[in-house]
Amino acid sequence: MNEFEDLLNSVSEVNPGDVVTAEVLTVDNGQANLVIEGTGVEGVLTLRELTNDRDADINEFVKAGETLEVLVLRQVVGKDTDTVTFLVSKKRLEARKAWDKLVGREEEVVTVKGTRAVKGGLSVEFEGLRGFIPASMLDTRFVRNTERFVGQEFEAKIKEVNAAENRFILSRREVVEEVAAAARQEVFSKIEVGSVVTGKVARLTSFGAFIDLGGVDGLVHVTELSHERNVSPKSVVTVGEDVDVKVLAIDEEEGRVSLSLKATTPGPWDGVEQKLAAGDVVEGKVKRLTDFGAFVEVLPGIDGLVHISQISHKRVENPKDALSVGQDVTVKVLEVNAADERVSLSIKALEERPAQDKSEGDNGEKRQSRPRRPRRQEKRDYELPETQTGFSMADLFGDIEL
């Protein structure tokens, strides 16, 4: 009993909450056995009090003979022996120090590591301290899948620190926004309308493709993706692809840039006059029909117009009655106007004009009789009688006295 009392008296100098220095005696069975310096009292340091990673190997954190600074948690007395030990923690001491370091650091940017996806956001670690980033504060767009941040190290801004409530809130979104703002300013200082720049396809939508210019996403509208009509963005570009685009318009205040991909690629009308000329007979495919005619693709990206009057020698009320979309036709080129991007075509020019009844007009309709105009009298030359020719002034005025 006297020895036990002496043992209790020897540990009176160690109390829960104390920060002490201890030497590692042994490491086995997932825990480290220590002796607290200056007391002769032993302590136990478990893996749980070393790291949040429960699958880690304790031997990677502590080794026999190593000296550690730890936080005393509570006293433990053995059930079968009179041994008195203390449960200590290195992790919680580091957390306490981290809390102390956070005082007054709101709005400061620090580096954290994503540890676990939790309800409503992401759990992160900063110098042994657990923090939380709400999903709405992870990125400029709401993040539904926070798993992709687990294991990553990134910068975040400290928003709230409350050690008493164990509350540590951060925001990654603000850091991303600040970086993006600086990048936008740099991009806008370099680009100008009419310039050709290189960017990376960031994402595709039904109305076009967004191109990352290095901090600013410019839009290539679907009409500016290709010289072809009615194309799908995914049929022209792929996400991650590097492309050269021409700047069409800049709105720095709104952070918008309009781009064109087709303006940087040769158009189908470039050099068309060397490929197509009036009088040529070519094969084509009907692309679309209108009330006034049919558009036929005669070269890739070049549609010529077969006017309704050039479809057939017979009268055509509607192009749909004679042609259909996708139909292959042979046409004759009537005119090529590269400046106006216009080609005039004819189908009937390649067909033999049918024999027509004399009473029928060009459209196969019978001519209507018109009222006969009065017959004009023909002009005739009349000769004057001889008595009215060869007279003189004397003959006319001979009887007048002067």
Side-chain angles (χ1 to χ4, degrees):
M1 290 297 295
N2 291 333
E3 292 178 359
F4 182 65
E5 289 178 1
D6 292 339
L7 183 61
L8 290 177
N9 291 332
S10 67
V11 300
S12 61
E13 298 178 4
V14 179
N15 297 292
D18 289 347
V19 176
V20 298
T21 302
E23 180 183 354
V24 179
L25 298 176
T26 59
V27 180
D28 55 21
N29 296 325
Q31 68 179 33
N33 300 306
L34 312 90
V35 59
I36 299 175
E37 291 184 354
T39 66
V41 177
E42 293 187 359
V44 176
L45 177 62
T46 64
L47 178 64
R48 185 173 182 177
E49 294 301 331
L50 269 171
T51 176
N52 290 326
D53 185 359
R54 299 188 180 183
D55 296 326
D57 183 358
I58 193 171
N59 293 287
E60 296 180 359
F61 293 88
V62 292
K63 299 183 183 301
E66 184 179 0
T67 300
L68 306 174
E69 190 176 39
V70 294
L71 174 67
V72 178
L73 298 180
R74 63 180 184 273
Q75 178 180 305
V76 179
V77 179
K79 295 181 179 179
D80 301 329
T81 65
D82 297 332
T83 305
V84 177
T85 58
F86 283 87
L87 180 63
V88 297
S89 175
K90 186 173 183 293
K91 181 181 72 175
R92 300 193 195 192
L93 178 60
E94 291 174 347
R96 176 187 288 185
K97 291 180 178 180
W99 280 113
D100 293 339
K101 289 181 181 180
L102 289 177
V103 175
R105 296 179 64 179
E106 285 83 357
E107 300 304 312
E108 183 179 335
V109 176
V110 295
T111 300
V112 299
K113 182 177 181 180
T115 56
R116 189 160 57 98
V118 295
K119 184 178 181 180
L122 179 72
S123 179
V124 298
E125 184 177 355
F126 171 67
E127 297 184 0
L129 189 65
R130 180 177 297 175
F132 176 69
I133 301 180
S136 61
M137 301 175 74
L138 269 171
D139 208 340
T140 52
R141 301 180 184 86
F142 183 79
V143 178
R144 296 187 181 278
N145 180 21
T146 59
E147 285 282 353
R148 64 187 181 93
F149 290 98
V150 175
Q152 291 189 22
E153 288 190 351
F154 52 85
E155 291 186 331
K157 181 177 287 188
I158 299 173
K159 300 305 297 179
E160 184 180 348
V161 177
N162 189 328
E165 297 183 6
N166 199 32
R167 187 175 176 83
F168 180 27
I169 307 298
L170 304 99
S171 172
R172 178 180 176 272
R173 183 189 66 199
E174 293 189 22
V175 175
V176 173
E177 289 175 341
E178 291 174 2
V179 172
R184 278 197 302 270
Q185 185 175 1
E186 183 178 357
V187 170
F188 282 121
S189 68
K190 294 180 179 179
I191 64 174
E192 58 183 15
V193 174
S195 63
V196 176
V197 295
T198 300
K200 189 181 294 292
V201 180
R203 62 186 188 280
L204 302 177
T205 67
S206 60
F207 54 85
F210 284 92
I211 311 299
D212 182 5
L213 302 178
V216 174
D217 282 357
L219 173 64
V220 178
H221 191 266
V222 65
T223 57
E224 292 295 331
L225 278 171
S226 172
H227 293 285
E228 296 183 29
R229 296 184 178 90
N230 302 321
V231 296
S232 168
K234 64 181 179 181
S235 68
V236 182
V237 293
T238 57
V239 174
E241 177 184 358
D242 290 327
V243 292
D244 291 331
V245 288
K246 184 176 182 179
V247 180
L248 301 181
I250 299 173
D251 188 341
E252 187 171 353
E253 185 175 345
E254 295 292 334
R256 296 175 182 172
V257 181
S258 297
L259 306 170
S260 174
L261 180 61
K262 75 178 183 181
T264 64
T265 59
W269 291 93
D270 296 340
V272 69
E273 291 170 328
Q274 282 72 47
K275 305 174 186 177
L276 208 62
D280 289 350
V281 176
V282 295
E283 300 295 324
K285 187 181 291 291
V286 178
K287 303 295 288 187
R288 53 197 173 99
L289 299 171
T290 67
D291 293 339
F292 54 85
F295 285 92
V296 177
E297 185 181 49
V298 290
L299 289 173
I302 295 182
D303 293 350
L305 173 64
V306 179
H307 190 267
I308 189 171
S309 63
Q310 293 295 326
I311 293 178
S312 175
H313 289 290
K314 297 180 180 180
R315 183 179 181 83
V316 177
E317 296 291 343
N318 191 311
K320 295 180 181 179
D321 298 335
L323 300 170
S324 59
V325 174
Q327 180 180 347
D328 293 324
V329 293
T330 304
V331 293
K332 182 176 182 179
V333 180
L334 302 180
E335 179 189 10
V336 178
N337 188 332
D340 294 335
E341 296 187 353
R342 186 177 65 226
V343 174
S344 298
L345 306 171
S346 175
I347 294 176
K348 80 175 186 179
L350 301 176
E351 298 175 349
E352 184 178 353
R353 186 184 184 93
Q356 295 178 341
D357 189 280
K358 292 182 179 181
S359 63
E360 293 183 354
D362 291 340
N363 291 328
E365 295 179 347
K366 290 189 175 182
R367 295 176 179 172
Q368 295 181 354
S369 59
R370 298 179 180 177
R372 181 175 296 179
R373 295 180 179 178
R375 185 174 182 180
R376 291 183 179 180
Q377 293 183 349
E378 296 180 358
K379 292 183 179 180
R380 298 179 180 177
D381 294 331
Y382 294 93
E383 294 182 356
L384 294 173
E386 291 184 358
T387 55
Q388 295 182 9
T389 62
F391 56 86
S392 65
M393 294 296 293
D395 296 330
L396 293 174
F397 302 106
D399 296 337
I400 301 176
E401 295 184 357
L402 300 178

